Amino acid sequence: MSKGQKPFFQLVGNKSARNSLNQKGNTMYKTEANRIIVDVADIDIKATIECGQIFRYEKTADGYTVKSGPHSCDICTLGDTVVITTTAVDYFVNFFNLDRDVMRAKRELSRFPELADVLEACGALRILHQPLFETIISFIISANNNIPRIKTIIGRICAEFGDVFPSPEQLSELPCRRLDALGCGYRSQYISDTAKICAETDILNRMYAANTADAQKMLKTLPGVGQKIADCVSLFALGRLEVFPIDTWMFKTQRVGMETESQSRTRLMEKYGAYAGYAQQLLFYYYAILRKGQI
């Protein structure tokens, strides 16, 4: 394991305990050799994968191929189940957060009338649990960028390392000129400097252990990381559901009066509380993907 990296997944119980109803999260799934089978009511794969929280995926004839760190899976809907095929079963149980009760989050948010159409349209969108370093770099690349181009750049970086997302040490050794050639542009120096900091210090471990405010302070010391990227990393890698990233879509659709982005963020976090991040992803998917910008 690389210096500064924390074990990504923690096993919840043993495999036999997960072969039926998960008592911790009330998510219906079971594991088999090289497969995870999930009740279709517990995961909307299109909403989960295409809501802007992940970039290493491709559509297939039946569903999607998803990659994370050194692992990959194929995910598709078969009747009333979703089947995830992978050699890294435990990794993807954690990656798809199958021990989290999505229905509880939806019930909590259903008391907000303005979310009624959004909740109905988005189904069981799940907030993923992604590797911290990969998420930081991915969202540095996302700045002033669009999803197809972000996916292309990340894919090129992974191709440099055998189609695996590099460790901080590996990425820190890639020259900026090579990052430029891969399409990173002005972000190349940010990526290189951030990789070096993560390789040479224990900042990643300290983020895992810190509260949200302190973790975000550490994130914002990294080159290229501002409030929006810090919020995205907190939500998608650290599991801090109380944050509400403000991007162009959120500011355009959720702003009240002459609010600044910071004021909108504070108001929406206070309003939606412990499920603010979940509300944000539902709203983003609804306005940016399903309605394609038609407000």
Side-chain angles (χ1 to χ4, degrees):
M1 185 177 301
S2 300
K3 179 183 176 182
Q5 286 185 307
K6 184 180 179 69
F8 173 49
F9 60 87
Q10 295 178 342
L11 305 186
V12 181
N14 56 41
K15 289 188 177 181
S16 62
R18 294 202 304 273
N19 279 340
S20 58
L21 180 67
N22 180 332
Q23 296 299 324
K24 180 180 179 182
N26 293 323
T27 299
M28 183 70 80
Y29 74 91
K30 64 180 180 179
T31 60
E32 298 178 350
N34 298 336
R35 292 206 311 175
I36 308 162
I37 301 172
V38 190
D39 191 296
V40 73
D42 286 314
I43 181 169
D44 183 325
I45 59 174
K46 179 178 172 62
T48 298
I49 293 170
E50 295 190 20
C51 68
Q53 62 180 320
I54 182 176
F55 306 109
R56 291 181 68 199
Y57 70 88
E58 297 297 336
K59 288 185 178 181
T60 63
D62 300 323
Y64 299 85
T65 294
V66 175
K67 299 177 181 179
S68 175
H71 303 297
S72 67
C73 73
D74 293 311
I75 180 168
C76 65
T77 301
L78 290 176
D80 60 356
T81 63
V82 169
V83 177
I84 304 168
T85 304
T86 179
T87 58
V89 167
D90 292 313
Y91 186 95
F92 281 104
V93 164
N94 189 266
F95 178 84
F96 285 106
N97 252 326
L98 296 180
D99 292 317
R100 176 175 286 163
D101 187 353
V102 172
M103 293 303 109
R104 178 180 177 183
K106 294 191 73 171
R107 287 193 299 272
E108 291 291 329
L109 292 173
S110 67
R111 61 192 178 91
F112 298 100
E114 71 275 13
L115 294 180
D117 291 342
V118 175
L119 289 166
E120 182 177 355
C122 294
L125 185 157
R126 305 191 74 86
I127 302 294
L128 301 175
H129 180 198
Q130 301 181 59
L132 181 53
F133 179 66
E134 181 171 343
T135 308
I136 292 169
I137 298 301
S138 295
F139 278 90
I140 289 175
I141 292 169
S142 78
N144 301 312
N145 221 336
N146 58 63
I147 290 177
R149 192 161 182 274
I150 299 165
K151 290 177 62 181
T152 297
I153 294 170
I154 294 173
R156 289 171 180 165
I157 291 174
C158 292
E160 294 285 298
F161 301 93
D163 200 25
V164 170
F165 198 91
S167 68
E169 291 82 359
Q170 289 173 319
L171 191 55
S172 68
E173 293 174 359
L174 199 65
C176 273
R177 64 180 180 277
R178 184 59 188 156
L179 289 168
D180 286 340
L182 297 175
C184 296
Y186 73 89
R187 308 167 194 84
S188 296
Q189 194 67 57
Y190 295 154
I191 293 167
S192 181
D193 291 346
T194 291
K196 287 174 184 174
I197 292 169
C198 292
E200 296 170 3
T201 73
D202 66 346
I203 190 170
L204 298 178
N205 284 333
R206 288 189 287 118
M207 285 179 199
Y208 277 111
N211 62 36
T212 301
D214 288 342
Q216 292 207 330
K217 287 178 183 177
M218 285 185 268
L219 280 164
K220 287 187 283 188
T221 66
L222 297 174
V225 176
Q227 186 63 62
K228 184 226 171 181
I229 292 175
D231 281 341
C232 289
V233 173
S234 298
L235 181 58
F236 305 137
L238 297 177
R240 311 303 169 84
L241 284 179
E242 70 272 24
V243 302
F244 193 107
I246 293 289
D247 64 358
T248 300
W249 286 108
M250 290 302 94
F251 196 51
K252 189 175 183 179
T253 62
Q254 304 304 307
R255 184 186 190 190
V256 173
M258 298 302 293
E259 281 181 333
T260 63
E261 290 188 10
S262 177
Q263 289 168 336
S264 292
R265 174 181 179 272
T266 298
R267 175 179 58 81
L268 291 162
M269 286 176 64
E270 291 175 352
K271 181 176 185 177
Y272 296 122
Y275 294 101
Y278 192 72
Q280 193 271 353
Q281 278 297 277
L282 290 166
L283 287 162
F284 177 86
Y285 182 68
Y286 182 72
Y287 284 110
I289 309 299
L290 293 182
R291 296 187 62 178
K292 299 186 186 300
Q294 297 176 5
I295 301 171

